[in-house]
């Protein structure tokens, strides 16, 4: 499996990091070794002093496809969850400054915490959006609504599939809302869709 991530998909988050809002989805990949599953703890990596959480809605791909049209995109995912795109922000800043790729800041071992998937019908509210949030040490630090995404789920699947053939089991990280911030050893994170807790992660 592979993990496809979308950067700067919420305008308020792009602004908080002083980044321009992209005119097309900004994509990057994480390898399967980036997965952090089963609510396992994350061991603070030695190569960063600024480890950040980014809570995101995840789509699990259930069918292989490429060049998928947006109107058919809903057929390609049945389950959604929340995840955390762990980012070594200091390393990322250095990569950006040098014009280098981001992988060493974003795609390292266990940098993609993946929650328990639920049927998408249980996640969408009556307006057709998903509300999600992240608690750090039981205080809410991020809150998002998929209705505020710059590029919605169907268009994302369509755009991604032009470049990267989607295979059953792939996971899409659809971008983080504003409120990203640091974690320290001993912190605990918990991510929700509505009030459903789908992911817990201790930082060790
Ligand atoms: Mg992210």
């Amino acid at each position: 499996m592979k993990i496809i991530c979308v950067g700067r998909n919420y305008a308020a988050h792009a602004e908080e990091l002083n980044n321009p809002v992209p005119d097309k989805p900004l994509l990057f990949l994480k390898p399967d070794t980036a997965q952090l599953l089963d609510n396992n703890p994350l061991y603070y990596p030695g190569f960063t002093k600024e480890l950040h959480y980014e809570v995101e809605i995840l789509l699990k791909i259930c069918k292989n496809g490429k060049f998928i049209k947006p109107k058919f995109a809903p057929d390609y995912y049945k389950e959604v969850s929340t995840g955390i795109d762990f980012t070594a922000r200091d390393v990322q800043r250095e990569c950006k400054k040098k014009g280098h790729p981001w992988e060493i800041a974003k795609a390292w071992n266990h940098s993609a915490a993946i929650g328990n998937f639920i049927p998408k019908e249980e996640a969408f509210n009556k307006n057709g959006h998903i509300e999600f949030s992240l608690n750090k040490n039981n205080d809410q630090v991020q809150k998002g609504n998929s209705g505020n995404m710059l590029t919605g789920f169907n268009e994302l699947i369509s755009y991604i599939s032009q470049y990267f053939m989607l295979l059953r089991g792939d996971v899409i990280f659809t971008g983080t809302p504003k409120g990203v911030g640091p974690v320290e050893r001993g912190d605990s994170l918990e991510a929700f869709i509505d009030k459903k807790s789908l992911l817990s992660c201790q930082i060790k």
Side-chain angles (χ1 to χ4, degrees):
M1 65 86 72
K2 60 185 174 293
I3 297 166
I4 306 102
C5 302
V6 184
R8 302 177 201 166
N9 201 20
Y10 290 81
H13 165 64
E15 280 161 25
E16 76 180 343
L17 295 183
N18 294 316
N19 286 318
V21 172
D23 53 356
K24 283 185 223 157
L26 188 165
L27 303 182
F28 61 96
L29 300 178
K30 299 196 189 213
D32 58 357
T33 49
Q35 293 178 95
L36 180 66
L37 300 170
D38 304 323
N39 293 330
N40 274 320
L42 178 71
Y43 290 88
Y44 201 111
F47 50 77
T48 178
K49 291 192 163 47
E50 196 181 357
L51 178 63
H52 272 200
Y53 54 78
E54 297 187 357
V55 73
E56 313 204 359
I57 297 170
L58 310 186
L59 311 179
K60 187 191 258 185
I61 296 300
C62 61
K63 185 170 146 175
N64 300 354
K66 54 184 172 177
F67 298 104
I68 299 161
K69 291 202 171 76
K71 66 174 176 180
F72 297 123
D75 298 344
Y76 287 80
Y77 72 102
K78 293 195 186 101
E79 294 180 310
V80 303
S81 187
T82 52
I84 301 172
D85 168 18
F86 281 109
T87 303
R89 194 69 72 198
D90 47 355
V91 178
Q92 187 192 29
R93 211 176 290 121
E94 209 51 33
C95 292
K96 280 157 73 175
K97 206 192 295 172
K98 292 178 180 158
H100 288 179
W102 280 354
E103 277 83 351
I104 60 168
K106 284 278 198 184
W108 36 275
N109 299 335
H110 309 306
S111 60
I114 293 176
N116 295 318
F117 283 87
I118 57 172
K120 63 183 176 185
E121 295 76 19
E122 291 177 21
F124 284 102
N125 64 22
K126 60 181 183 329
N127 301 317
H129 301 312
I130 297 178
E131 290 169 51
F132 64 113
S133 60
L134 181 73
N135 286 1
K136 180 172 110 171
N137 304 328
N138 296 318
D139 289 327
Q140 190 175 82
V141 287
Q142 281 192 279
K143 186 173 163 37
N145 183 313
S146 65
N148 295 324
M149 291 189 298
L150 296 169
T151 307
F153 298 137
N154 296 341
E155 289 72 20
L156 279 180
I157 287 173
S158 175
Y159 184 79
I160 290 167
S161 73
Q162 294 178 53
Y163 299 94
F164 307 114
M165 189 190 302
L166 291 172
L167 299 179
R168 197 177 324 120
D170 289 348
V171 172
I172 301 177
F173 275 61
T174 59
T176 195
K178 72 170 185 195
V180 302
V183 283
E184 304 295 341
R185 287 184 185 86
D187 284 343
S188 66
L189 298 169
E190 188 173 10
F192 302 83
I193 285 180
D194 284 326
K195 293 186 172 58
K196 280 189 203 86
S197 173
L198 300 180
L199 171 66
S200 303
C201 183
Q202 291 273 341
I203 311 298
K204 290 199 171 176

